[in-house]
Amino acid sequence: MKNKKLFIFSIIIICLILITFLIKNNYNFSKKGNNMSNKSADEIKEYILNIESYQAIAEVTIKSNKNENTYIVEQRYNRENNMYRQEVLEPENIKGVQFIYDGTNLKVENTKLNLNKIYTNYNYIESNELGLASFIEDYKQSNEAKCIEKNGKVILETDIKKANKYVANKKLYIDKEEGTIEKLEINDTAQNTRIYILYNKIEINTLSKEEVLAFSLKPLEQDI
């Protein structure tokens, strides 16, 4: 009887340890995850506008009057010092081309050809229309920004303050139930989609500034 009680007590202790472990890991995962599921449209909007960092694999389609080109890119961004990095993964002929901004300088690099170009005191990172940070900045600056809920999606829409005929309006789509950013549409003045960014994978607020860059910006003699 004593051994039976000891066995039952041991099983209970093991179960409690497992439950504690699972709760702790689930808590840590929720801190690292997108944390937008089951939120209201306004809560999702505020979460997006206050993103500290993100990393994403995205499919970018750019349409001109004559051509349409699609690229697979990896993007990393950290709001501290406005750090941004984008690398082309596909197509193969430009694979490895990177745009890296450390908050002050912009480095354009072709890793396959070992070519680099440094732009010192570069102040125009907001003009990178492919980055999510650019959308956030445009949304915050607009007096006519909208947040609507439609067909299970939260749509953040804004006109662009310094618009041109090709880039005049942006729409960011978030799946309300899953709490995930799905796509970004960039439209021209006629509301034709010129740039379409589909986020195949995105993680929010998981990056440190070291993970964004992981390189040293040093002027090189080679020009890209």
Side-chain angles (χ1 to χ4, degrees), residues 13-188:
I13 292 298
I14 291 172
C15 288
L16 287 174
I17 292 173
L18 286 173
I19 290 170
T20 302
F21 176 79
L22 290 172
I23 290 174
K24 182 178 179 181
N25 276 275
N26 185 65
Y27 173 72
N28 288 334
F29 177 78
S30 67
K31 285 179 68 180
K32 293 181 179 179
N34 290 335
N35 290 334
M36 290 190 291
S37 58
N38 300 316
K39 301 290 186 182
S40 69
D42 283 339
E43 287 174 322
I44 288 175
K45 180 190 76 173
E46 290 305 313
Y47 187 85
I48 294 293
L49 297 183
N50 290 284
I51 285 176
E52 294 291 336
S53 68
Y54 79 90
Q55 55 182 335
I57 302 295
E59 180 179 305
V60 180
T61 300
I62 301 176
K63 301 178 181 179
S64 67
N65 293 331
K66 297 181 179 180
N67 300 309
E68 178 176 317
N69 297 294
T70 299
Y71 310 88
I72 304 297
V73 302
E74 180 183 24
Q75 298 176 341
R76 295 186 176 194
Y77 168 77
N78 191 299
R79 188 166 69 177
E80 184 179 357
N81 294 328
N82 202 18
M83 297 177 173
Y84 179 79
R85 178 175 189 157
Q86 178 171 284
E87 179 177 356
V88 179
L89 305 180
E90 295 180 20
E92 186 65 30
N93 64 319
I94 58 170
K95 181 179 180 180
V97 173
Q98 299 182 25
F99 302 86
I100 310 167
Y101 181 69
D102 69 352
T104 303
N105 305 314
L106 175 70
K107 178 181 181 182
V108 182
E109 179 178 22
N110 187 323
T111 57
K112 291 178 68 175
L113 300 178
N114 195 30
L115 298 176
N116 303 269
K117 179 68 176 180
I118 303 291
Y119 299 89
T120 58
N121 299 316
Y122 189 83
N123 297 318
Y124 304 101
I125 191 62
E126 292 84 357
S127 65
N128 177 21
E129 302 298 346
L130 303 184
L132 190 57
S134 178
F135 169 82
I136 292 172
E137 189 65 25
D138 288 331
Y139 194 95
K140 288 180 176 179
Q141 290 182 0
S142 175
N143 294 323
E144 300 180 0
K146 302 174 185 176
C147 175
I148 62 175
E149 188 175 338
K150 184 178 181 181
N151 298 327
K153 313 293 182 187
V154 175
I155 304 170
L156 303 183
E157 180 179 358
T158 180
D159 291 332
I160 299 173
K161 191 174 182 180
K162 297 180 181 179
N164 58 61
K165 65 179 182 178
Y166 298 111
V167 180
N169 172 273
K170 296 182 179 181
K171 296 179 182 178
L172 184 69
Y173 293 76
I174 303 103
D175 185 290
K176 189 173 187 292
E177 183 177 353
E178 297 295 329
T180 53
I181 297 174
E182 290 188 336
K183 62 183 179 179
L184 175 64
E185 293 178 352
I186 302 177
N187 306 311
D188 61 19

